[in-house]
Amino acid sequence: MRERLALSTPGEGAAGKTGSWRVFRPVVDKERCNTCGLCGMYCPDGVISEDLTIDLEFCKGCGVCANECPKKAITMEREER
């Protein structure tokens, strides 16, 4: 059985919160999600909590979470400014 890693706490970038320059944001389809936690484990910024809440103030929109999701429950949608 695989051991789950503890989710890290998001850190501020050199200029503070990093979500303001994001082009794409992750959107979770909670009905499709099987709560495996891979999205949070692979998130390089540690912005996905165990209840699948994504801290968009720190998310850079890299898409790693969407790529790692085995159920394809996370899509990357263009930010509207």
Side-chain angles (χ1 to χ4, degrees):
M1 179 179 255
R2 249 182 9 194
E3 183 178 321
R4 282 195 180 192
L5 299 176
L7 299 178
S8 62
T9 304
E12 288 191 17
K17 295 178 181 173
T18 57
S20 64
W21 49 266
R22 181 182 53 249
V23 177
F24 291 93
R25 65 182 170 86
V27 176
V28 179
D29 178 348
K30 291 188 179 186
E31 291 196 18
R32 181 176 260 186
C33 174
N34 66 357
T35 63
C36 67
L38 288 175
C39 57
M41 283 192 280
Y42 283 100
C43 177
D45 296 308
V47 300
I48 304 175
S49 67
E50 289 184 22
D51 68 350
L52 301 179
T53 301
I54 299 173
D55 187 345
L56 294 175
E57 291 185 343
F58 293 97
C59 173
K60 295 180 181 89
C62 67
V64 170
C65 57
N67 287 333
E68 294 299 328
C69 180
K71 293 292 202 173
K72 302 301 179 205
I74 302 174
T75 56
M76 298 303 291
E77 296 185 3
R78 183 170 283 281
E79 285 283 4
E80 297 199 16
R81 301 282 169 166

